[in-house]
Amino acid sequence: MVVGIDKAASAADSVVSSAKKTPTAIPSDSVINLARGDPTMYQPYWRRMGDKCTVVIPGHDLMSYFSDPGNLCWFLMPELDDAIRRLHRVVGNAVVDDDRYVIVGTGSTQLFQAVLFALSSPQNPDTEPLSVVAAAPFYSSYPEETEFLRSGLYKWAGDAYSFDKDGAYVEVITSPNNPDGTIREAVANREGGKLIHDLAYYWPQYTPITSKADYDIMLFTFSKATGHAGSRIGWAIVKDKQMAAKMVKYIELSSIGVSKEAQLRAAKILEVIAVDCASSGPDKEENFFEHGHRLMSDRWEKLREVVKRNGVFSLPKYPRDFCNFKGKDTDSSPAFAWLKAKDGLNCDNLLREFKIITRGGPNFGVDSEYTRVSMLSLDEEFNLFLERLAEIKGATN
Amino acid sequence: MVVGIDKAASAADSVVSSAKKTPTAIPSDSVINLARGDPTMYQPYWRRMGDKCTVVIPGHDLMSYFSDPGNLCWFLMPELDDAIRRLHRVVGNAVVDDDRYVIVGTGSTQLFQAVLFALSSPQNPDTEPLSVVAAAPFYSSYPEETEFLRSGLYKWAGDAYSFDKDGAYVEVITSPNNPDGTIREAVANREGGKLIHDLAYYWPQYTPITSKADYDIMLFTFSKATGHAGSRIGWAIVKDKQMAAKMVKYIELSSIGVSKEAQLRAAKILEVIAVDCASSGPDKEENFFEHGHRLMSDRWEKLREVVKRNGVFSLPKYPRDFCNFKGKDTDSSPAFAWLKAKDGLNCDNLLREFKIITRGGPNFGVDSEYTRVSMLSLDEEFNLFLERLAEIKGATN
């Protein structure tokens, strides 16, 4: 199979014309970086919201280390706590009863590490580090975040499917999964297992909301929920008080809390979405998640069309399901496309030849015929991506 | 020696009356927590500044992970980089030539850990963890921040004065020192030593600025410079590119960057201070550091008076020195009072009897006759602290 550029590829016509409609600032020959899931796609929506989500912070505000000294999570701002619980209630994607602890972190990245610390300490110095596993393909940062400090408390132990050690371990379950968008459950299922549920993508724009998640430790992030990656705000919902207290300790020791400016802004934006989603009436405008789902569905439809026509790649299929939030059957439209190149080609390398940077399968614990492509870029980039993808044509077609 | 409450202590009179002048919201029998250095003292100053430092952030702003993709520290906002360098030039407390790297962190707490990672990795798995030392009394969080993850890369090795191991090690030099306010230099001075200079308190309100600091790795924090602890912004100034790149890697892995809202606000506030400090003229108002130094000098004078009169405690003495920033000889007025109780009494426990919470000597690697008291509380709390301190009277007096 020979892969080459087909400049006149008719398969790309619809895409090219849609791209041409959009005024673009991106030179047509520039490299498009879709390796990181930078959620810039949502920016135009927030721009249209005008001043509705603007925060104004005077110089004397938010000065103290403390946000809520009486709360177990003393650095969590009460308005953020309220907004998080309110949004989950409106969306119906997680149980946030009053007995659950909300812990804020500098992104869910910091919280993931806080959970590892909480699950593994205090520990007898003679004890083996706690094994951390996830089913492949798993989020590419888990191994490095677990390993980089060579902690004696925990260590990365690879693919949960092949984990066969006795004793305590931690399984991270990302659902919908990053990179491949599948709905997941624990797979190791051995005695002594503790579970972390990373639910970063369990929001209505990406997947049908089929039930309220009700796990011991659930992680969410502002980045993927609303697109505000630059704020570095994540939150955990935790059942056990001791666990929550240890996570707070971790965040105290690693950064003495979490930026209040970012918390204030997250509180404002989550609150606005929750109010919008809860409002009704004939003149009701499309809410954030409806908007996001419409964009994502549209992108996935276009992507599937290009992939079908050029015959070089394949994509996972997702079951249609009833979404409690939307009140109807909906398709999944994950935040990443998990592209597989046919005939065992190195998918990441192939796309790089076409100036598309993605993150290859080996980063996620699987073969190089797979690669992960962000679906959350700006329109201009996404359209250019489709245009270039359509130009890749196997000689076998 | 018997210590008791002397309700009519004349030594306290001047203090009590000064406290009474300030309208206070603190019940007179409440516990005052001066254990953490929460810099709320500066709040009235920033309130008086009105809108000058207000930031306004619309909902669509600051969304991307990236701040400056072409910069080694890709998450650092260029306006913060500029404001940091400008302020150091105006104050004259650190060399910030163009060949130095500025790295932003979630407080200098995250940066301290980033430096440990950068100095110790990559490392041969058979190598002993790098020893981290500081001269006692040292900042109470260093041991725990170094130890809590049981890293194989580095480990806490205690007081630098008694360190006698061969091979590579790291010495942390805090100057002015937390807790005792002294100006410091390296003390271990063995072969293979690397140095981290924590200059959190090297600002004109706390100490005379005698020269531009010019070390390999210097840490500063927004909390102590301006009082904005809730923002969690710190910065490092680093000479070596490889070191800087590894620190960036640490921050990527631990939190994928630093809140942009906090960075934007820090940039604004540091810029306003720098412009104020650089301006001149007959009508020029007191700048932030002049204001801070005046408050701190006043507090130290009152504290020394009470300590002198009641005879139960002693305080360190600091040399007067020429401050390049103020252009005259000035006294030190450290952010913490390092109180020593006479006759070997447990100083922290003694103050607790008077409902004053401080952080005792053993946290800093020394005896319990010492304790650290924050000098940065609100006026009401500080005055109540003095009032209660004056009530402690040794029977020997």
Side-chain angles (χ1 to χ4, degrees):
Chain A
M1 178 175 168
V2 178
V3 172
I5 300 177
D6 180 354
K7 284 279 179 200
S10 63
D13 285 359
S14 65
V15 174
V16 174
S17 60
S18 111
K20 278 179 183 160
K21 276 180 215 157
T22 314
T24 172
I26 304 172
S28 62
D29 62 343
S30 68
V31 170
I32 318 171
N33 192 333
L34 302 174
R36 183 157 260 179
D38 205 20
T40 46
M41 179 186 86
Y42 299 111
Q43 205 175 36
Y45 177 87
W46 294 114
R47 185 171 282 121
R48 282 199 303 277
M49 296 290 272
D51 285 344
K52 212 169 160 183
C53 293
T54 299
V55 295
V56 178
I57 312 174
H60 68 272
D61 214 359
L62 313 179
M63 291 189 68
S64 169
Y65 287 105
F66 298 94
S67 293
D68 191 4
N71 188 358
L72 181 134
C73 187
W74 55 267
F75 47 81
L76 169 62
M77 291 175 74
E79 48 269 61
L80 180 57
D81 191 346
D82 291 346
I84 286 169
R85 291 178 196 265
R86 183 167 187 179
L87 186 64
H88 282 302
R89 285 194 185 102
V90 168
V91 172
N93 61 341
V95 173
V96 281
D97 294 350
D98 290 347
D99 59 350
R100 307 294 162 102
Y101 297 90
V102 171
I103 313 292
V104 66
T106 310
S108 64
T109 299
Q110 188 184 34
L111 289 165
F112 172 68
Q113 293 167 67
V115 176
L116 295 187
F117 172 77
L119 288 171
S120 61
S121 66
Q123 191 201 65
N124 184 323
D126 301 328
T127 310
E128 274 282 289
L130 193 64
S131 293
V132 180
V133 299
F138 42 70
Y139 175 38
S140 50
S141 293
Y142 289 149
E144 213 173 0
E145 287 172 14
T146 308
E147 292 280 272
F148 78 122
L149 295 176
R150 302 233 336 263
S151 174
L153 298 175
Y154 46 77
K155 66 167 187 213
W156 180 249
D159 190 352
Y161 285 115
S162 52
F163 183 69
D164 59 2
K165 274 184 143 183
D166 288 334
Y169 71 93
V170 180
E171 180 174 350
V172 199
I173 299 140
T174 310
S175 183
N177 191 38
N178 173 1
D180 69 356
T182 54
I183 299 300
R184 289 191 151 189
E185 293 185 352
V187 305
N189 298 321
R190 301 172 65 86
E191 216 173 306
K194 291 168 184 171
L195 307 179
I196 304 174
H197 281 80
D198 181 346
L199 305 181
Y201 303 96
Y202 193 46
W203 293 101
Q205 69 268 52
Y206 305 121
T207 193
I209 302 302
T210 54
S211 69
K212 288 183 189 178
D214 185 17
Y215 303 108
D216 289 350
I217 303 163
M218 301 187 277
L219 303 182
F220 289 92
T221 164
F222 194 36
S223 305
K224 307 308 178 186
T226 70
H228 293 84
S231 305
R232 313 309 311 125
I233 289 289
W235 61 92
I237 301 167
V238 179
K239 277 187 190 174
D240 182 66
K241 187 175 182 175
Q242 288 289 95
M243 269 295 303
K246 286 189 205 169
M247 290 176 68
V248 166
K249 182 75 184 165
Y250 175 93
I251 292 170
E252 253 182 79
L253 287 169
S254 72
S255 60
I256 322 185
V258 175
S259 158
K260 285 189 180 178
E261 292 86 354
Q263 288 192 60
L264 185 76
R265 188 155 177 251
K268 176 83 177 184
I269 290 169
L270 298 181
E271 174 73 15
V272 165
I273 297 178
V275 169
D276 275 1
C277 289
S279 74
S280 57
D283 300 333
K284 190 179 167 303
E285 282 186 34
E286 194 181 52
N287 67 47
F288 173 75
F289 296 116
E290 288 164 349
H291 169 84
H293 187 245
R294 186 168 55 74
L295 287 193
M296 292 300 289
S297 294
D298 182 58
R299 288 188 172 194
W300 271 93
E301 199 178 313
K302 286 178 179 164
L303 175 64
R304 288 199 187 274
E305 192 181 296
V306 171
V307 164
K308 188 177 165 194
R309 291 204 192 173
N310 78 0
V312 183
F313 306 98
S314 65
L315 283 166
K317 288 196 173 67
Y318 305 104
R320 202 171 159 81
D321 214 330
F322 188 82
C323 176
N324 296 334
F325 177 75
K326 296 197 206 75
K328 62 181 181 188
D329 278 359
T330 51
D331 285 314
S332 280
S333 42
F336 296 103
W338 186 233
L339 267 185
K340 185 182 181 187
K342 289 187 177 170
D343 302 318
L345 283 170
N346 183 312
C347 197
D348 179 39
N349 284 353
L350 172 57
L351 292 171
R352 274 171 204 263
E353 287 177 31
F354 293 81
K355 295 184 178 169
I356 303 164
I357 311 293
T358 64
R359 196 176 287 180
N363 293 289
F364 305 92
V366 297
D367 292 342
S368 63
E369 60 193 333
Y370 290 96
T371 201
R372 191 193 78 169
V373 187
S374 169
M375 293 290 283
L376 304 180
S377 60
L378 286 168
D379 271 349
E380 297 84 337
E381 283 174 301
F382 183 73
N383 290 328
L384 208 50
F385 159 62
L386 287 188
E387 195 176 329
R388 291 187 191 171
L389 199 67
E391 288 170 355
I392 306 174
K393 231 176 131 74
T396 51
N397 295 121
Chain B
M1 177 175 170
V2 178
V3 172
I5 299 179
D6 180 353
K7 284 281 179 199
S10 65
D13 284 358
S14 66
V15 174
V16 173
S17 58
S18 112
K20 276 181 183 159
K21 274 181 216 156
T22 313
T24 171
I26 304 171
S28 62
D29 62 342
S30 68
V31 171
I32 319 172
N33 192 334
L34 302 175
R36 183 156 260 178
D38 205 20
T40 46
M41 179 186 86
Y42 300 112
Q43 205 174 37
Y45 177 87
W46 294 114
R47 184 171 284 120
R48 282 198 303 277
M49 295 290 273
D51 286 342
K52 212 168 159 184
C53 294
T54 299
V55 294
V56 178
I57 312 174
H60 68 273
D61 214 359
L62 314 179
M63 293 189 68
S64 170
Y65 286 104
F66 299 94
S67 292
D68 191 4
N71 188 357
L72 181 133
C73 187
W74 55 266
F75 46 81
L76 169 61
M77 291 174 76
E79 49 269 63
L80 180 57
D81 190 346
D82 291 346
I84 287 168
R85 292 177 194 265
R86 183 168 186 176
L87 185 63
H88 282 301
R89 285 195 185 102
V90 168
V91 172
N93 63 340
V95 172
V96 281
D97 294 349
D98 290 348
D99 60 349
R100 307 295 162 102
Y101 297 90
V102 171
I103 313 292
V104 66
T106 309
S108 64
T109 299
Q110 187 183 35
L111 289 165
F112 172 68
Q113 293 167 67
V115 176
L116 294 187
F117 172 76
L119 288 172
S120 62
S121 66
Q123 189 200 67
N124 184 323
D126 301 328
T127 310
E128 274 282 291
L130 193 65
S131 293
V132 181
V133 300
F138 42 70
Y139 174 39
S140 50
S141 293
Y142 290 149
E144 213 173 1
E145 288 172 14
T146 308
E147 291 280 272
F148 78 122
L149 296 175
R150 302 236 333 266
S151 174
L153 298 175
Y154 46 79
K155 66 167 186 213
W156 180 250
D159 189 353
Y161 285 115
S162 52
F163 182 69
D164 59 3
K165 274 183 144 185
D166 288 334
Y169 70 93
V170 180
E171 180 174 351
V172 199
I173 298 139
T174 309
S175 183
N177 191 38
N178 172 2
D180 70 356
T182 54
I183 299 299
R184 288 192 152 190
E185 293 185 354
V187 305
N189 297 323
R190 302 172 64 85
E191 216 174 306
K194 291 167 183 172
L195 308 179
I196 304 174
H197 281 81
D198 182 345
L199 305 181
Y201 303 95
Y202 192 47
W203 294 101
Q205 69 268 52
Y206 304 121
T207 194
I209 302 301
T210 54
S211 68
K212 287 184 190 180
D214 185 18
Y215 303 107
D216 289 348
I217 303 163
M218 301 187 276
L219 302 183
F220 289 92
T221 164
F222 194 36
S223 304
K224 306 310 177 188
T226 71
H228 292 85
S231 305
R232 313 310 311 123
I233 290 289
W235 62 92
I237 301 167
V238 179
K239 277 187 189 173
D240 181 67
K241 187 175 183 176
Q242 287 289 95
M243 269 296 302
K246 284 189 207 169
M247 289 177 67
V248 166
K249 183 73 184 167
Y250 176 92
I251 292 171
E252 254 183 80
L253 287 168
S254 73
S255 60
I256 321 186
V258 175
S259 160
K260 285 189 181 179
E261 291 87 355
Q263 288 191 61
L264 185 76
R265 189 156 174 250
K268 177 83 178 185
I269 290 168
L270 298 181
E271 173 73 15
V272 165
I273 296 177
V275 170
D276 275 2
C277 290
S279 74
S280 58
D283 299 334
K284 193 179 167 300
E285 282 187 32
E286 194 182 50
N287 67 47
F288 172 74
F289 297 116
E290 287 164 350
H291 169 84
H293 187 244
R294 186 169 53 76
L295 288 193
M296 293 299 291
S297 294
D298 182 60
R299 287 188 174 194
W300 271 93
E301 199 179 312
K302 287 179 178 164
L303 175 64
R304 288 197 187 275
E305 192 180 299
V306 171
V307 164
K308 188 177 166 193
R309 291 207 193 172
N310 77 359
V312 184
F313 307 97
S314 65
L315 283 167
K317 288 197 173 66
Y318 305 104
R320 201 170 159 83
D321 214 330
F322 188 82
C323 176
N324 296 334
F325 176 76
K326 297 198 206 74
K328 61 181 181 189
D329 276 358
T330 52
D331 285 314
S332 280
S333 43
F336 297 103
W338 186 233
L339 267 185
K340 185 181 180 187
K342 290 188 177 168
D343 303 318
L345 281 170
N346 183 312
C347 197
D348 179 40
N349 284 353
L350 173 57
L351 292 171
R352 274 170 205 264
E353 286 176 33
F354 293 81
K355 296 186 178 168
I356 302 163
I357 311 292
T358 64
R359 197 175 287 179
N363 294 288
F364 305 91
V366 297
D367 291 342
S368 63
E369 60 194 330
Y370 290 97
T371 201
R372 191 194 77 169
V373 187
S374 170
M375 292 291 283
L376 304 180
S377 61
L378 287 168
D379 270 349
E380 297 84 337
E381 283 173 301
F382 182 73
N383 290 329
L384 209 50
F385 159 62
L386 286 189
E387 195 175 330
R388 291 187 191 170
L389 198 67
E391 288 170 356
I392 306 173
K393 234 179 128 72
T396 50
N397 296 118

